[in-house]
Amino acid sequence: MERIAVIDFETTGISPSSSCRATEIAVVMLENGRIVERYQSLMNAGVRVPAFIEQLTGISNAMLRTAPSAERVMNEVNEFVGCTPLLAHNAAFDQKFWDFELGRIKRTRLQNFACSLLLARRLMPAAPNHKLGTLTTFAQLPHTGQAHRAMADAEMAANLLAHLADELRHKHGVQELSHDLLCKLQKVPAAKVGEHLQRYR
């Protein structure tokens, strides 16, 4: 499978706006099932972190006061990612913030997002639920740090992607894995996954 950029944001809320912004981003580059590069930074977007978000993430207003600007961080991370295909766990969330923060520096996303949450629903139906921490425990993957911090979550999502790739190879007999296959598979009804994957054997 080609190089994939696995991304995670921490934010002040669930939907980006002038008052709801990103506070941290991490990206790990996954190649052949291994993390080969990392980028992480807090980012100061000039908005206040609500108390319940600070309690959830551990990211405080004091930490953000000395963090680099959101514009600087997004320029750096955009250069780091380039045209590499993207993946996130619950990608609908991270995609919204990626597009919003890129838009503020007058950049546009060039690639699709694959979603490890949607893929896990199709490939790990026996899991108790499809939260990242639950899937990590269920698959006996390493917990990489504090949940709800961007680097720990990005690394866990990358490890989960490597596990899902192994499932596709060994359980479903898929020979050639690609980001495009993942994007297509995440839209297939769970009951039809086996039938859909026959064409890739």
Side-chain angles (χ1 to χ4, degrees), residues 10-23 44-53 61 64 97 100-101 104:
E10 300 305 326
T11 69
T12 61
I14 59 170
S15 192
S17 68
S18 58
S19 59
C20 178
R21 298 286 301 280
T23 56
N44 185 351
V47 298
R48 187 156 187 79
V49 180
F52 76 96
I53 295 288
N61 288 293
L64 294 183
F97 280 91
F100 182 83
E101 296 293 349
R104 291 182 63 88

Side-chain angles (χ1 to χ4, degrees), residues 16-119:
S17 68
S18 58
S19 59
C20 178
R21 298 286 301 280
T23 56
E24 184 178 39
I25 187 170
V27 181
V28 297
M29 294 293 185
L30 194 71
E31 279 185 12
N32 301 317
R34 298 184 61 188
I35 295 170
V36 295
E37 285 186 88
R38 294 170 171 82
Y39 175 95
Q40 179 274 332
S41 183
L42 292 168
M43 48 201 292
N44 185 351
V47 298
R48 187 156 187 79
V49 180
F52 76 96
I53 295 288
E54 183 175 337
Q55 192 172 17
L56 178 71
T57 64
I59 298 171
S60 67
N61 288 293
M63 289 163 68
L64 294 183
R65 272 197 289 275
T66 56
S69 69
E71 291 79 8
R72 176 179 150 191
V73 172
M74 288 306 299
N75 272 301
E76 286 179 1
V77 76
N78 187 52
E79 289 296 314
F80 179 71
V81 168
C83 296
T84 308
L86 292 162
L87 177 137
H89 197 76
N90 190 19
F93 173 85
D94 295 278
Q95 180 178 315
K96 283 189 299 185
F97 280 91
W98 181 257
D99 290 348
F100 182 83
E101 296 293 349
L102 273 188
R104 291 182 63 88
I105 60 167
K106 298 184 169 45
R107 303 288 176 87
T108 304
R109 174 169 53 90
L110 302 173
Q111 62 275 68
N112 292 326
F113 264 90
C115 178
S116 55
L117 176 102
L118 295 178
L119 291 163

Side-chain angles (χ1 to χ4, degrees), residues 121-184:
R121 283 180 180 161
R122 286 147 179 82
L123 298 171
M124 299 172 68
N129 62 57
H130 293 91
K131 294 178 181 176
L132 185 56
T134 304
L135 291 166
T136 295
T137 300
F138 181 77
Q140 299 182 313
L141 300 170
H143 284 266
T144 53
Q146 180 186 336
H148 303 296
R149 287 302 300 264
M151 182 53 75
D153 285 354
E155 288 183 344
M156 282 196 288
N159 290 336
L160 177 60
L161 174 58
H163 175 78
L164 293 171
D166 284 342
E167 288 275 297
L168 284 165
R169 287 191 194 96
H170 300 129
K171 189 173 176 182
H172 296 278
V174 176
Q175 299 303 313
E176 292 295 325
L177 286 175
S178 68
H179 185 266
D180 184 58
L181 183 154
L182 299 178
C183 290
K184 288 175 179 171

